[in-house]
Amino acid sequence: ADAENVKPPRASKNIVEYYEQAQMSKVLATIETNGDIAYRLEEARIGDLFTQEAYVLCKRLEFKNLLNRFEKKEIEENKDAEKFHFVTDFNEADTVYRQAAQSDRLAVCIMNGNGYHGMALTFGEASYYIQEEGFLTEQYQASSLAGVMKKVPLLLTDDLKKLLHFLKENGEDISYTENCYDTTLAAYLLNPLKNEYLYDNMSKDFLDKIIPSKEDLFGKVKEKDAPEKIPEAFAEYSCYHSLTVYRTWDILREKLEKEDMWKLYQEME
């Protein structure tokens, strides 16, 4: 009734034309203090917010600022790391390569940020990070991997171009790639709008499993410094890479086939 007295004229006109929306907005904006809701004060106590369950939820929802408030003990326990192996002995590495060649599938990730650091392998029930040091040279590892690739029926990696470049730079034959598949390329085809395809996000998106991120493992240490400053953490980080590749492939391929993108994947690769 008093709409004509509202200034400026534009506001007066809007009230008349959008009266029902204005009424609805008022209802939505009004805090109802007398709602008939079953409520017991003693059950509404918050208690400790920073629990393990809360950490998993914040991790899944990507509330990164809140994650920094959790103590390490509340970070989700992960038994995968119990089957991670940090390999620095030549004989042990030789055994790992021989066993890998006998497996029916192998996931491998080349870890070379600021120079070559080593490679992560997952097969069977275990993951191995073979560090470059001593007799475990880059050339030895490239030669050993090339031999394995000729025997294993299925080889998976998070970056096929990086893998082939690594082999080529070390004088190895890269003509046999029919059995090689790239999980990052598969993830890109399924969701090309993402900026990056990190191993922990791949685990969350395709396995619905929260695993430690690079930030969880390295803290404030930069990735390029991690192999030297925190080698055990870098080994674990590397193993999570290959383990995620190993576990996500079947799901990725199934989704590609379901979306009629398997042929496109093969042509792109």
Side-chain angles (χ1 to χ4, degrees), residues 183-246:
T183 55
T184 302
L185 176 59
Y188 167 75
L189 287 177
L190 293 169
N191 187 1
L193 299 180
K194 295 198 72 168
N195 294 325
E196 52 188 355
Y197 301 85
L198 303 177
Y199 72 93
D200 54 318
N201 288 336
M202 292 276 285
S203 179
K204 180 186 69 174
D205 293 343
F206 297 106
L207 302 173
D208 195 27
K209 181 178 178 63
I210 303 297
I211 59 177
S213 67
K214 178 176 68 175
E215 292 74 18
D216 293 332
L217 296 171
F218 293 173
K220 295 183 178 180
V221 177
K222 294 182 179 179
E223 183 175 354
K224 65 182 181 66
D225 299 323
E228 182 177 347
K229 291 185 176 181
I230 46 173
E232 294 286 346
F234 189 82
E236 186 174 351
Y237 168 71
S238 302
C239 288
Y240 273 121
H241 272 79
S242 59
L243 179 63
T244 302
V245 168
Y246 189 89

Side-chain angles (χ1 to χ4, degrees), residues 79-101:
K79 295 185 178 180
D80 291 329
E82 295 177 0
K83 297 181 180 180
F84 291 172
H85 304 274
F86 186 9
V87 181
T88 57
D89 177 75
F90 182 85
N91 290 329
E92 183 181 0
D94 191 59
T95 299
V96 170
Y97 284 120
R98 284 190 284 105
Q99 291 176 342

